[in-house]
Amino acid sequence: MVAKVVLGVILAIVAYVGLKYESMLKEMDAAAVDYSKGDLDAALKRYEGVEEGLRGGLGVNVLRYIPERDRQNLFLNQARMLYGKKQYNDANDRLEKENEIAGVTKDSRFFLLRGNINFRKAVTTYQQSQKKDANLLEENLLGAEDSVKESLQMEPGEWDAKYNFEFINNVRKMQIGRAHV
């Protein structure tokens, strides 16, 4: 009799966790719909709600226990929303959350997005600075280029990474040419 009760409790817990997980996946799908409609704020709010639920929903941070791909998609999509809103530092912070949980990520999408973020930050910082420091711009562009190159090494056939790598490389070379004129 005790074994049946224990088994019943275990099954109830498993069912509860399964339902909560399914709810999380549906909320992420709804966020993707918001994004496809161009509503970055609503999408970001949904993703943040999912993360908050996973961090403390059961009194335990369950982020490290969900499937890796779902967790990575959660952080990547948050970073993409923030990138779209030109909140580059916050976008980088979201990407770092995966490294905090898993160590260094092996997902090329993280490196590609990090390279894109770093490129935008470099160009924006350069354009907004009063003293145009070409050396600092080149250093920042090299960092962006390195991230995209890392993405290419992981996924050699990724066209976005190939294009972005060539684009950043060309911008950097043009900048070097201007600095020497």
Side-chain angles (χ1 to χ4, degrees):
M1 182 67 169
V2 172
K4 288 182 181 181
V5 170
V6 170
L7 183 61
V9 169
I10 291 172
L11 287 174
I13 291 171
V14 168
Y16 175 76
V17 169
L19 290 172
K20 291 293 274 183
Y21 189 69
E22 179 66 26
S23 173
M24 177 208 70
L25 292 176
K26 285 184 179 183
E27 189 66 9
M28 286 178 64
D29 288 342
V33 169
D34 288 341
Y35 173 71
S36 70
K37 291 179 182 176
D39 192 348
L40 297 180
D41 291 324
L44 182 60
K45 187 174 181 175
R46 285 183 188 270
Y47 285 124
E48 288 173 341
V50 168
E51 182 184 352
E52 186 176 312
L54 290 170
R55 286 197 183 277
L58 299 172
V60 176
N61 182 354
V62 295
L63 268 171
R64 66 179 66 249
Y65 303 111
I66 66 171
E68 181 179 55
R69 193 66 169 185
D70 291 336
R71 184 184 65 238
Q72 289 174 341
N73 287 338
L74 175 64
F75 292 141
L76 271 170
N77 290 338
Q78 286 182 68
R80 288 176 179 139
M81 301 305 111
L82 291 163
Y83 175 77
K85 294 176 67 165
K86 298 181 180 177
Q87 296 176 4
Y88 304 125
N89 290 332
D90 292 337
N92 260 331
D93 290 346
R94 288 306 194 291
L95 294 177
E96 285 304 313
K97 287 183 178 186
E98 176 63 15
N99 290 341
E100 291 170 9
I101 292 173
V104 177
T105 183
K106 304 280 190 272
D107 190 327
S108 66
R109 301 174 302 165
F110 279 77
F111 289 94
L112 177 59
L113 185 54
R114 186 172 289 118
N116 293 346
I117 291 167
N118 290 339
F119 174 78
R120 294 287 179 198
K121 279 177 58 175
V123 170
T124 301
T125 300
Y126 181 77
Q127 289 172 340
Q128 293 175 352
S129 68
Q130 294 206 349
K131 181 181 181 269
K132 307 294 185 201
D133 186 345
N135 290 330
L136 180 59
L137 176 61
E138 182 180 3
E139 183 179 314
N140 290 336
L141 289 175
L142 277 171
E145 190 178 286
D146 287 345
S147 289
V148 175
K149 186 177 184 179
E150 185 76 24
S151 174
L152 265 174
Q153 289 173 342
M154 292 176 178
E155 287 286 332
E158 175 60 46
W159 283 102
D160 285 341
K162 287 179 181 181
Y163 178 83
N164 290 2
F165 179 78
E166 290 299 322
F167 181 78
I168 294 169
N169 186 275
N170 287 333
V171 168
R172 192 177 56 75
K173 286 178 182 176
M174 286 188 327
Q175 184 58 37
I176 291 170
R178 284 188 196 153
H180 294 294
V181 173

